[in-house]
Tab-separated table of all heavy atoms in Angstrom:
chain	number	residue	atom	x	y	z
A	89	ASP	N	17.256	43.010	28.316
A	89	ASP	CA	17.396	41.573	28.557
A	89	ASP	C	16.249	40.800	27.981
A	89	ASP	O	16.372	39.788	27.320
A	89	ASP	CB	17.479	41.256	30.097
A	89	ASP	CG	18.687	41.855	30.725
A	89	ASP	OD1	19.783	41.928	30.116
A	89	ASP	OD2	18.542	42.275	31.923
A	90	ILE	N	15.015	41.298	28.250
A	90	ILE	CA	13.836	40.626	27.768
A	90	ILE	C	13.744	40.654	26.231
A	90	ILE	O	13.461	39.656	25.611
A	90	ILE	CB	12.576	41.316	28.354
A	90	ILE	CG1	12.564	41.103	29.868
A	90	ILE	CG2	11.253	40.768	27.732
A	90	ILE	CD1	11.551	41.951	30.658
A	91	ALA	N	14.134	41.802	25.632
A	91	ALA	CA	14.140	41.918	24.184
A	91	ALA	C	15.135	40.933	23.535
A	91	ALA	O	14.854	40.342	22.490
A	91	ALA	CB	14.459	43.308	23.736
A	92	GLU	N	16.265	40.726	24.197
A	92	GLU	CA	17.248	39.759	23.688
A	92	GLU	C	16.721	38.328	23.708
A	92	GLU	O	16.888	37.592	22.739
A	92	GLU	CB	18.553	39.847	24.470
A	92	GLU	CG	19.342	41.081	24.211
A	92	GLU	CD	20.538	41.245	25.110
A	92	GLU	OE1	20.953	40.263	25.803
A	92	GLU	OE2	21.133	42.334	25.109
A	93	ILE	N	16.030	37.966	24.791
A	93	ILE	CA	15.440	36.659	24.878
A	93	ILE	C	14.345	36.494	23.822
A	93	ILE	O	14.254	35.449	23.167
A	93	ILE	CB	14.897	36.384	26.294
A	93	ILE	CG1	16.077	36.264	27.279
A	93	ILE	CG2	13.974	35.156	26.351
A	93	ILE	CD1	15.754	36.252	28.738
A	94	GLU	N	13.530	37.511	23.646
A	94	GLU	CA	12.450	37.434	22.595
A	94	GLU	C	13.063	37.271	21.266
A	94	GLU	O	12.570	36.482	20.434
A	94	GLU	CB	11.588	38.698	22.675
A	94	GLU	CG	10.776	38.777	23.906
A	94	GLU	CD	10.076	40.100	24.134
A	94	GLU	OE1	10.406	41.085	23.424
A	94	GLU	OE2	9.168	40.191	24.960
A	95	HIS	N	14.131	37.952	21.004
A	95	HIS	CA	14.829	37.853	19.682
A	95	HIS	C	15.331	36.433	19.469
A	95	HIS	O	15.195	35.880	18.345
A	95	HIS	CB	15.992	38.855	19.613
A	95	HIS	CG	16.811	38.699	18.350
A	95	HIS	ND1	16.377	39.115	17.137
A	95	HIS	CD2	18.013	38.130	18.154
A	95	HIS	CE1	17.302	38.808	16.225
A	95	HIS	NE2	18.319	38.242	16.856
A	96	VAL	N	15.939	35.879	20.467
A	96	VAL	CA	16.449	34.466	20.346
A	96	VAL	C	15.321	33.502	20.075
A	96	VAL	O	15.432	32.638	19.193
A	96	VAL	CB	17.211	34.068	21.658
A	96	VAL	CG1	17.475	32.561	21.669
A	96	VAL	CG2	18.507	34.842	21.777
A	97	VAL	N	14.157	33.719	20.665
A	97	VAL	CA	13.016	32.832	20.411
A	97	VAL	C	12.589	32.959	18.963
A	97	VAL	O	12.307	31.975	18.288
A	97	VAL	CB	11.848	33.167	21.379
A	97	VAL	CG1	10.568	32.501	20.957
A	97	VAL	CG2	12.252	32.762	22.801
A	98	LEU	N	12.493	34.179	18.462
A	98	LEU	CA	12.065	34.416	17.086
A	98	LEU	C	13.089	33.782	16.084
A	98	LEU	O	12.695	33.211	15.094
A	98	LEU	CB	11.917	35.898	16.793
A	98	LEU	CG	10.704	36.511	17.493
A	98	LEU	CD1	10.730	38.039	17.369
A	98	LEU	CD2	9.364	35.938	16.952
A	99	VAL	N	14.351	33.878	16.411
A	99	VAL	CA	15.379	33.228	15.566
A	99	VAL	C	15.201	31.706	15.585
A	99	VAL	O	15.259	31.031	14.494
A	99	VAL	CB	16.786	33.576	16.050
A	99	VAL	CG1	17.878	32.760	15.357
A	99	VAL	CG2	17.059	35.100	15.789
A	100	GLU	N	14.949	31.172	16.752
A	100	GLU	CA	14.735	29.710	16.858
A	100	GLU	C	13.502	29.270	16.048
A	100	GLU	O	13.531	28.232	15.377
A	100	GLU	CB	14.618	29.277	18.286
A	100	GLU	CG	15.889	29.383	19.112
A	100	GLU	CD	16.959	28.442	18.564
A	100	GLU	OE1	16.664	27.279	18.215
A	100	GLU	OE2	18.145	28.885	18.410
A	101	VAL	N	12.424	30.034	16.142
A	101	VAL	CA	11.217	29.691	15.381
A	101	VAL	C	11.543	29.745	13.901
A	101	VAL	O	11.130	28.847	13.093
A	101	VAL	CB	10.035	30.611	15.730
A	101	VAL	CG1	8.908	30.478	14.731
A	101	VAL	CG2	9.548	30.331	17.112
A	102	GLY	N	12.292	30.720	13.469
A	102	GLY	CA	12.685	30.823	12.069
A	102	GLY	C	13.541	29.684	11.600
A	102	GLY	O	13.544	29.365	10.386
A	103	LYS	N	14.219	29.023	12.490
A	103	LYS	CA	15.021	27.874	12.107
A	103	LYS	C	14.169	26.682	11.657
A	103	LYS	O	14.720	25.737	11.057
A	103	LYS	CB	15.946	27.416	13.262
A	103	LYS	CG	17.099	28.385	13.521
A	103	LYS	CD	17.976	27.897	14.668
A	103	LYS	CE	19.118	28.834	14.877
A	103	LYS	NZ	19.988	28.402	16.028
A	104	ALA	N	12.925	26.738	11.869
A	104	ALA	CA	11.998	25.700	11.370
A	104	ALA	C	12.052	25.600	9.862
A	104	ALA	O	11.734	24.566	9.257
A	104	ALA	CB	10.547	25.947	11.828
A	105	ARG	N	12.511	26.702	9.223
A	105	ARG	CA	12.629	26.699	7.775
A	105	ARG	C	13.578	25.581	7.300
A	105	ARG	O	13.436	25.069	6.178
A	105	ARG	CB	13.139	28.039	7.280
A	105	ARG	CG	12.109	29.114	7.418
A	105	ARG	CD	12.722	30.469	6.971
A	105	ARG	NE	11.654	31.494	7.006
A	105	ARG	CZ	11.356	32.228	8.093
A	105	ARG	NH1	12.081	32.067	9.220
A	105	ARG	NH2	10.384	33.123	8.039
A	106	ALA	N	14.526	25.208	8.127
A	106	ALA	CA	15.458	24.158	7.716
A	106	ALA	C	14.778	22.810	7.583
A	106	ALA	O	15.325	21.900	6.936
A	106	ALA	CB	16.571	24.089	8.744
A	107	ALA	N	13.566	22.630	8.159
A	107	ALA	CA	12.901	21.397	8.107
A	107	ALA	C	11.882	21.315	6.989
A	107	ALA	O	11.096	20.410	6.898
A	107	ALA	CB	12.200	21.152	9.431
A	108	ARG	N	11.928	22.286	6.072
A	108	ARG	CA	10.909	22.335	5.019
A	108	ARG	C	10.815	21.081	4.159
A	108	ARG	O	9.793	20.713	3.627
A	108	ARG	CB	11.051	23.608	4.171
A	108	ARG	CG	12.318	23.695	3.353
A	108	ARG	CD	12.316	24.899	2.391
A	108	ARG	NE	11.778	26.055	3.034
A	108	ARG	CZ	12.409	27.220	3.133
A	108	ARG	NH1	13.592	27.351	2.640
A	108	ARG	NH2	11.852	28.256	3.713
A	109	GLU	N	11.958	20.345	4.001
A	109	GLU	CA	11.957	19.178	3.184
A	109	GLU	C	11.126	17.995	3.825
A	109	GLU	O	10.738	17.092	3.144
A	109	GLU	CB	13.366	18.640	2.932
A	109	GLU	CG	14.244	19.602	2.169
A	109	GLU	CD	14.872	20.656	3.035
A	109	GLU	OE1	15.140	20.419	4.265
A	109	GLU	OE2	15.113	21.737	2.577
A	110	GLU	N	10.918	18.144	5.124
A	110	GLU	CA	10.207	17.110	5.846
A	110	GLU	C	8.716	17.213	5.722
A	110	GLU	O	7.952	16.308	6.143
A	110	GLU	CB	10.571	17.142	7.350
A	110	GLU	CG	12.035	16.834	7.608
A	110	GLU	CD	12.415	16.955	9.050
A	110	GLU	OE1	11.540	16.787	9.895
A	110	GLU	OE2	13.620	17.239	9.355
A	111	PHE	N	8.197	18.260	5.131
A	111	PHE	CA	6.765	18.484	5.003
A	111	PHE	C	6.328	18.484	3.541
A	111	PHE	O	7.058	19.002	2.659
A	111	PHE	CB	6.371	19.824	5.651
A	111	PHE	CG	6.665	19.872	7.113
A	111	PHE	CD1	7.909	20.341	7.598
A	111	PHE	CD2	5.755	19.381	8.014
A	111	PHE	CE1	8.161	20.383	8.906
A	111	PHE	CE2	6.007	19.374	9.362
A	111	PHE	CZ	7.234	19.890	9.836
A	112	ALA	N	5.170	17.949	3.289
A	112	ALA	CA	4.639	17.897	1.894
A	112	ALA	C	4.219	19.312	1.420
A	112	ALA	O	4.346	19.604	0.251
A	112	ALA	CB	3.478	16.920	1.851
A	113	GLU	N	3.719	20.111	2.372
A	113	GLU	CA	3.238	21.438	1.985
A	113	GLU	C	4.302	22.506	2.359
A	113	GLU	O	5.232	22.249	3.090
A	113	GLU	CB	1.925	21.751	2.654
A	113	GLU	CG	1.954	21.988	4.123
A	113	GLU	CD	1.946	20.730	4.963
A	113	GLU	OE1	1.707	19.645	4.449
A	113	GLU	OE2	2.227	20.868	6.174
A	114	ASP	N	4.153	23.671	1.758
A	114	ASP	CA	5.025	24.794	1.985
A	114	ASP	C	4.770	25.291	3.457
A	114	ASP	O	3.636	25.623	3.820
A	114	ASP	CB	4.723	25.929	1.016
A	114	ASP	CG	5.669	27.112	1.230
A	114	ASP	OD1	6.739	26.912	1.823
A	114	ASP	OD2	5.313	28.192	0.735
A	115	ILE	N	5.805	25.309	4.278
A	115	ILE	CA	5.665	25.742	5.639
A	115	ILE	C	5.988	27.209	5.841
A	115	ILE	O	5.780	27.722	6.956
A	115	ILE	CB	6.515	24.827	6.602
A	115	ILE	CG1	7.976	24.979	6.276
A	115	ILE	CG2	6.050	23.412	6.540
A	115	ILE	CD1	8.866	24.363	7.354
A	116	GLU	N	6.496	27.881	4.880
A	116	GLU	CA	6.874	29.281	4.988
A	116	GLU	C	5.732	30.165	5.488
A	116	GLU	O	5.939	30.968	6.408
A	116	GLU	CB	7.470	29.821	3.682
A	116	GLU	CG	7.957	31.235	3.780
A	116	GLU	CD	9.121	31.405	4.743
A	116	GLU	OE1	9.928	30.431	4.935
A	116	GLU	OE2	9.260	32.470	5.378
A	117	PRO	N	4.513	30.013	4.930
A	117	PRO	CA	3.416	30.849	5.478
A	117	PRO	C	3.128	30.629	6.936
A	117	PRO	O	2.866	31.519	7.699
A	117	PRO	CB	2.227	30.469	4.584
A	117	PRO	CG	2.787	29.935	3.369
A	117	PRO	CD	4.134	29.277	3.769
A	118	ALA	N	3.214	29.374	7.350
A	118	ALA	CA	2.970	29.025	8.778
A	118	ALA	C	4.045	29.673	9.668
A	118	ALA	O	3.743	30.217	10.725
A	118	ALA	CB	2.961	27.519	8.972
A	119	ILE	N	5.291	29.679	9.193
A	119	ILE	CA	6.378	30.234	10.006
A	119	ILE	C	6.203	31.742	10.094
A	119	ILE	O	6.347	32.344	11.160
A	119	ILE	CB	7.727	29.863	9.389
A	119	ILE	CG1	7.985	28.380	9.524
A	119	ILE	CG2	8.876	30.640	10.073
A	119	ILE	CD1	9.164	27.864	8.785
């Protein structure tokens, strides 16, 4: 159960890639 929740959190953090156009710099290293 805990591993599934951790996985969902990591997927959600990875979704920040969709916002890359909103930033002047490359956000991939930060993610």
Side-chain angles (χ1 to χ4, degrees):
D89 297 324
I90 295 168
E92 287 174 12
I93 290 169
E94 292 170 348
H95 174 74
V96 167
V97 168
L98 291 169
V99 168
E100 289 298 316
V101 168
K103 287 182 180 178
R105 289 177 175 89
R108 65 174 40 124
E109 297 83 30
E110 297 178 25
F111 297 92
E113 70 277 351
D114 182 21
I115 62 169
E116 185 62 30
I119 294 170

